[in-house]
Amino acid sequence: MRIQALLLVLCCVYNNGWAQMQVQGKVTDAKNGDAIPFATIRWGKGSYGTIATLDGRFTATIPFADTTTPLECSAIGYATRRIVPITRNMNIALQPSGNVLSEVTIKPSANKAKRIMDLAVALRNNHNPDKYPQWQCRLYYKMVGDIVVHDTVMNDTAASNRELSAFIKAQHAFLSETYSVRTWQRPGRLQDDVLATRVSGLRKASFTSLVTDVLPFHIATDFINLNGKDYPNPVANGYQSRYKTSLTDELVDGTDTIWTISFRPRQGHQYLEGRVYIHSAGYAISHLVANATDSALGRHIRIEQQYQQVPHPDGTKWFPASHNYILQMQMKSDKTPYMLVLNGNSQVDSVSWEIPPTFRADKTHTVRLAPNADVATDSLLNVLRRDKLDVREMNTYYVLDSLGKKVKADKILCAMRYAPAGRISLGWLDIDLARLLSYNRYEKTRPGIGLQTNELLLKWMSIGGWVGYGFGDKEWKYGGFTEWYAGKYRETSLRLTYDMDLADPGRISLGGTIDKNYLRRYLMQRVDRTETYSAALSKKMGFWNLQLSATQQRITPMYAYTFQPTAYSGYTSFTAQDATLKVRYAPGEHSAPFMGSYYPTPGKYPVSYARITAGQLQAGTTTIPYLQAVLAATWQVHINRVGQQRMMVEAGRLWSNNPLPISRLFAGNGYRYDARYASLYAFGGLMTLYPYDYYTSRFVQGIYNHSFDWKLWTLARNGFSYSSQPYLGLQYGVLWGTLTNSNQHVGVPVTAPQNGYHEGGIIFNNLLRMRYSSICYLALNVGCFYPIMPQTDFGKDGRWVIGTAVTF
């Protein structure tokens, strides 16, 4: 019995181990040697096989009985190759086919493909890394940029073209690398710790490139954002109304099955086209290839993603393994048309479900640089890279670093370090671009200049001033400030300011983009001349921005207005002293470094604002204390099968035992300019309401905008820079407010919308688009708004509006 048992064990070992061959290899392009991602490798009767990785590598366990049969290797766009016999190491080179290989649909596939896709959609959140409680991984990312010209130029014997051809072949036009540790903790806490980053041509990397700057880390979402544009995910609810799908392949890989499902947009849509690989283990996405083409821009984007099964205490979890993208932009040139190509590749490893106890998240800096990470040496990156750089990549660093040193590229970029804040640096002095030129109906054209010192003079302090002249009122405006900084990134500051300027009476200022200062200055026609002394302490802490300020202001209305706090007094100027606390809270907001400063990127959660002001107003011998509070929130979200939703709500209240002048009331947030002209559209205000139609001591305002995803029509011609591809937007706005003691204001009508003010509008977004190179479109939006209550008279109060936008 013992001998029989031993023979049985040996037989089992032989059948399961020695009777099998471990095969490994790589699939490459026979023409240029590049790896071919996600090639299909089959053996035996054809139903058994595996999928190559993103870098073309594959491993397989093949029974010895099948090693004498052909191994078949195929990929879209390449001629299928059959190799016999099968050996342990197989490097397979495929020849590009003259005609792109069309996928063969397995019949019957419609119902089976739908069942597989429906299960993948239903179980998608089980494999969503954002739904996992926590994880940490390491991420290596490399981006390469190239200039591609036509073969006729590359093969031209002219001296200039020979030099260009030699330069292009010897090195890339751009190269950057980043190695980071990515940490996730629910809910919504993401941290990227950059250990090393390098940019060709620069001694110090002025920015940090992450793969998520171009494409998402995973696709377990309703939309796939590529280069700033949302594309509907083919593995999401509603996919059948957007994509045609078909089952094109089915492989047995060990005990699992991999289904290849191709997808393409339905007629009239410009969505993604490609293949998604669904794994029978949880019906998870194991691979994805997707292409997005914009023929009008001459732009093509291809993404390739691979996912891996990682051991977990509860079994295994799917997690991203690698990402690849290719962005091609056809550039126009009178002499030599050329193409810009960006190729990015990331590799994910060391996935852990536990976070080290020493880890501390920094919500203020979601992309955090380790000491000297932005001056990473090649010796450090050699340790972190999985694969060594090739000769062309090493030449890129050598040549471009030498060129950058010669032209002082770091110094040139240094002049742009405050560009996101609206300033340009000239040595130790910054120019405030917003002060150079402005226009409003009161001042007309107002040229000016604003200057301030930067850290090249003093790291801990800045001194600045500005001056402007209005050609309409023929008056000078001017001011100055000094500001002290604390912290590595100067995110704590104390600012002392003096200004002799103009102000919009009753206008609410919460800080940030919600104020629409550029539009408010343009609409300003009723003004107060103000002389202001102020001190402000600002601090950024995590998702919070805080500012505490004290102000003394002399206010002189520049219009026919008298404030009468009592029946026997009237004043045309007054003084106010107040203290204000401003708060901005943006949960989940990410921030990234640029030239030593951090700038936020929009998050997916609502952003809240608050302003509380306590002060007193002096009108002659009358002193009036007051308390003012304003709350606001904005939110923008893209909902699958619904569209883009944008909402804003704002409310305020004023407490005072005595009446106050209109400069301390709440002015209605109207964006109407003139009865004769169309208004400039911007989200956040009422388009049919003039800026000074209403004043209130308490108010509530709400605005809701819905933009549909579907296009009304597409009008475009080859060779033309203009096209039309509009999509519809609907907007509704409401304002309600009350005011006591309105008869204390003489010279201007002061009323409140006690019964509410309602308006509705329709907007044709992208009605006209102009191509800007191959980067983006400059779009013209046209709409029509009309008041609903308290009166409806489109001929009198209806408004045509126009707006502009940058789209991708």
Side-chain angles (χ1 to χ4, degrees):
M1 289 294 294
R2 294 179 181 178
I3 295 177
Q4 292 173 337
L6 180 60
L7 290 174
L8 180 62
V9 171
L10 291 176
C11 184
C12 292
V13 171
Y14 175 80
N15 288 333
N16 291 281
W18 296 346
Q20 295 176 333
M21 178 186 291
Q22 296 294 325
V23 178
Q24 62 180 6
K26 185 175 183 179
V27 185
T28 58
D29 187 310
K31 184 177 180 180
N32 55 31
D34 291 342
I36 300 176
F38 308 155
T40 300
I41 294 93
R42 294 176 177 274
W43 60 84
K45 296 180 181 180
S47 61
Y48 295 94
T50 189
I51 306 294
T53 63
L54 191 62
D55 57 2
R57 302 182 188 278
F58 68 91
T59 59
T61 302
I62 301 176
F64 270 117
D66 291 334
T67 59
T68 57
T69 62
L71 181 142
E72 182 181 284
C73 182
S74 61
I76 300 298
Y78 293 87
T80 299
R81 185 176 175 188
R82 294 174 177 84
I83 305 171
V84 65
I86 301 174
T87 59
R88 294 187 182 277
N89 294 294
M90 303 190 70
N91 292 319
I92 306 171
L94 298 184
Q95 291 287 347
S97 58
N99 298 318
V100 176
L101 180 65
S102 60
E103 295 175 309
V104 178
T105 302
I106 298 176
K107 302 290 186 178
S109 71
N111 291 333
K112 188 171 184 178
K114 182 180 183 302
R115 289 198 304 270
I116 295 168
M117 289 290 286
D118 288 347
L119 282 168
V121 172
L123 300 174
R124 191 185 65 183
N125 277 343
N126 293 346
H127 318 299
N128 184 350
D130 292 348
K131 302 295 183 180
Y132 300 158
Q134 62 181 24
W135 47 261
Q136 189 176 83
C137 68
R138 292 179 178 264
L139 188 65
Y140 169 76
Y141 170 55
K142 178 170 64 178
M143 181 169 63
V144 174
D146 283 301
I147 299 174
V148 179
V149 298
H150 197 270
D151 288 343
T152 56
V153 177
M154 296 293 289
N155 299 327
D156 196 343
T157 57
S160 59
N161 287 338
R162 283 203 312 270
E163 292 177 1
L164 176 63
S165 176
F167 181 86
I168 291 175
K169 291 179 180 179
Q171 62 271 313
H172 300 286
F174 175 83
L175 175 62
S176 73
E177 296 175 279
T178 301
Y179 190 88
S180 61
V181 177
R182 169 164 279 213
T183 307
W184 166 264
Q185 293 173 301
R186 291 191 69 185
R189 185 176 296 179
L190 179 67
Q191 185 78 53
D192 282 298
D193 286 299
V194 177
L195 304 185
T197 183
R198 186 178 181 185
V199 178
S200 59
L202 300 176
R203 185 188 64 82
K204 184 176 183 178
S206 56
F207 56 90
T208 300
S209 297
L210 299 173
V211 68
T212 48
D213 296 338
V214 183
L215 74 164
F217 186 64
H218 63 82
I219 58 166
T221 53
D222 289 333
F223 296 92
I224 299 175
N225 188 278
L226 303 178
N227 199 39
K229 181 177 179 178
D230 279 346
Y231 293 91
N233 190 340
V235 188
N237 287 317
Y239 71 90
Q240 285 186 295
S241 64
R242 294 161 169 168
Y243 292 99
K244 291 183 177 181
T245 59
S246 58
L247 179 62
T248 57
D249 205 350
E250 185 173 334
L251 284 176
V252 177
D253 187 4
T255 59
D256 298 310
T257 302
I258 302 173
W259 296 283
T260 304
I261 296 178
S262 65
F263 57 87
R264 66 181 187 277
R266 291 190 176 273
Q267 185 73 25
H269 295 293
Q270 290 185 339
Y271 295 149
L272 300 173
E273 182 174 358
R275 307 182 305 281
V276 60
Y277 300 75
I278 307 297
H279 201 283
S280 60
Y283 287 86
I285 297 173
S286 62
H287 306 76
L288 171 76
V289 178
N291 298 273
T293 300
D294 190 323
S295 55
L297 276 181
R299 184 184 66 200
H300 177 80
I301 304 175
R302 176 184 176 90
I303 65 167
E304 300 157 342
Q305 294 194 353
Q306 179 183 342
Y307 295 82
Q308 58 186 324
Q309 288 180 286
V310 181
H312 186 272
D314 297 331
T316 59
K317 296 282 189 182
W318 286 93
F319 200 81
S322 53
H323 312 75
N324 190 54
Y325 72 85
I326 301 173
L327 172 60
Q328 299 174 337
M329 296 181 290
Q330 189 69 49
M331 311 302 290
K332 303 295 183 181
S333 174
D334 295 335
K335 296 181 179 180
T336 305
Y338 62 97
M339 181 184 294
L340 293 181
V341 179
L342 292 178
N343 192 330
N345 175 265
S346 74
Q347 300 163 353
V348 180
D349 58 30
S350 304
V351 180
S352 173
W353 307 111
E354 298 293 332
I355 297 177
T358 56
F359 173 80
R360 295 292 181 271
D362 186 349
K363 293 183 289 187
T364 306
H365 313 107
T366 51
V367 178
R368 184 167 51 187
L369 295 178
N372 300 318
D374 51 359
V375 289
T377 61
D378 198 57
S379 58
L380 174 59
L381 285 168
N382 271 333
V383 177
L384 301 175
R385 297 183 188 113
R386 182 185 298 179
D387 301 313
K388 294 183 178 180
L389 298 181
D390 59 31
V391 174
R392 193 179 179 204
E393 290 168 339
M394 289 189 290
N395 285 343
T396 303
Y397 275 137
Y398 177 77
V399 173
L400 295 186
D401 287 355
S402 300
L403 182 62
K405 184 178 180 180
K406 183 177 181 180
V407 301
K408 299 180 180 180
D410 287 272
K411 188 175 182 180
I412 295 173
L413 278 180
C414 188
M416 303 296 295
R417 64 189 182 278
Y418 294 121
R423 305 201 308 268
I424 298 296
S425 300
L426 296 178
W428 52 270
L429 206 58
D430 289 351
I431 300 175
D432 188 345
L433 300 179
R435 296 284 185 184
L436 294 179
L437 187 67
S438 63
Y439 176 87
N440 59 69
R441 298 186 70 178
Y442 181 81
E443 294 178 285
K444 307 302 181 184
T445 302
R446 172 173 159 172
I449 191 170
L451 301 173
Q452 71 178 84
T453 63
N454 56 46
E455 73 278 5
L456 296 183
L457 183 66
L458 289 172
K459 290 185 178 181
W460 51 273
M461 187 177 75
S462 178
I463 301 172
W466 63 272
V467 63
Y469 180 79
F471 283 99
D473 62 346
K474 303 187 186 306
E475 293 283 346
W476 288 94
K477 295 87 183 174
Y478 48 87
F481 70 89
T482 180
E483 193 166 21
W484 291 269
Y485 307 103
K488 180 179 178 180
Y489 298 106
R490 309 203 302 176
E491 290 166 333
T492 300
S493 65
L494 174 63
R495 183 182 178 103
L496 303 180
T497 304
Y498 170 81
D499 286 320
M500 178 66 77
D501 202 0
L502 301 178
D504 209 4
R507 194 61 55 209
I508 302 167
S509 175
L510 293 171
T513 57
I514 193 174
D515 287 340
K516 298 292 190 299
N517 287 329
Y518 66 93
L519 183 58
R520 289 181 174 179
R521 179 162 288 278
Y522 169 73
L523 294 171
M524 191 168 63
Q525 52 182 307
R526 178 185 293 174
V527 303
D528 291 334
R529 188 170 183 86
T530 59
E531 183 178 23
T532 307
Y533 299 87
S534 68
L537 177 65
S538 301
K539 173 68 176 177
K540 180 172 175 59
M541 298 187 301
F543 300 138
W544 296 86
N545 286 76
L546 308 174
Q547 185 186 82
L548 181 63
S549 63
T551 302
Q552 176 173 300
Q553 191 174 64
R554 180 71 177 174
I555 305 166
T556 304
M558 305 304 290
Y559 45 95
Y561 173 74
T562 302
F563 172 55
Q564 293 183 332
T566 66
Y568 306 102
S569 61
Y571 303 98
T572 57
S573 65
F574 19 86
T575 302
Q577 300 93 25
D578 56 46
T580 299
L581 174 65
K582 287 184 181 180
V583 179
R584 178 181 181 270
Y585 178 60
E589 183 177 69
H590 296 167
S591 59
F594 177 77
M595 298 294 294
S597 298
Y598 273 81
Y599 297 95
T601 56
K604 61 180 181 180
Y605 300 107
V607 179
S608 304
Y609 301 82
R611 172 182 170 138
I612 301 174
T613 300
Q616 63 179 20
L617 185 130
Q618 191 78 29
T621 58
T622 304
T623 300
I624 306 172
Y626 61 90
L627 179 65
Q628 189 184 74
V630 180
L631 299 174
T634 62
W635 189 32
Q636 183 172 350
V637 61
H638 198 173
I639 302 176
N640 186 28
R641 297 186 291 177
V642 176
Q644 288 274 6
Q645 313 289 308
R646 197 171 183 184
M647 291 153 274
M648 172 183 169
V649 62
E650 188 174 5
R653 179 159 185 179
L654 178 65
W655 291 270
S656 177
N657 293 327
N658 301 96
L660 288 166
I662 62 174
S663 63
R664 285 302 180 266
L665 300 178
F666 302 119
N669 198 20
Y671 286 172
R672 186 173 179 177
Y673 179 67
D674 191 286
R676 298 168 295 173
Y677 309 111
S679 298
L680 291 178
Y681 174 77
F683 181 81
L686 299 170
M687 303 307 303
T688 60
L689 188 72
Y690 287 106
Y692 313 105
D693 278 351
Y694 293 125
Y695 281 95
T696 63
S697 55
R698 59 175 179 166
F699 77 96
V700 176
Q701 175 184 287
I703 298 176
Y704 171 78
N705 181 286
H706 175 87
S707 294
F708 297 93
D709 283 336
W710 38 266
K711 307 296 187 294
L712 296 176
W713 63 75
T714 298
L715 296 176
R717 286 187 178 182
N718 292 333
F720 283 77
S721 298
Y722 296 91
S723 61
S724 178
Q725 197 178 72
Y727 60 94
L728 191 64
L730 301 177
Q731 184 165 310
Y732 174 78
V734 59
L735 172 65
W736 173 88
T738 61
L739 176 65
T740 57
N741 302 317
S742 60
N743 56 351
Q744 268 72 34
H745 310 279
V746 179
V748 297
V750 178
T751 59
Q754 296 187 27
N755 296 320
Y757 184 91
H758 303 256
E759 71 170 23
I762 183 171
I763 306 169
F764 295 91
N765 299 288
N766 278 357
L767 186 62
L768 185 65
R769 300 188 308 174
M770 183 182 72
R771 183 178 68 238
Y772 180 75
S773 186
S774 292
I775 301 172
C776 62
Y777 294 101
L778 303 180
L780 177 68
N781 308 325
V782 177
C784 184
F785 283 74
Y786 59 94
I788 303 173
M789 290 179 58
Q791 73 280 334
T792 302
D793 187 345
F794 181 79
K796 179 181 178 182
D797 298 310
R799 284 289 87 202
W800 289 99
V801 301
I802 58 173
T804 59
V806 177
T807 61
F808 297 93

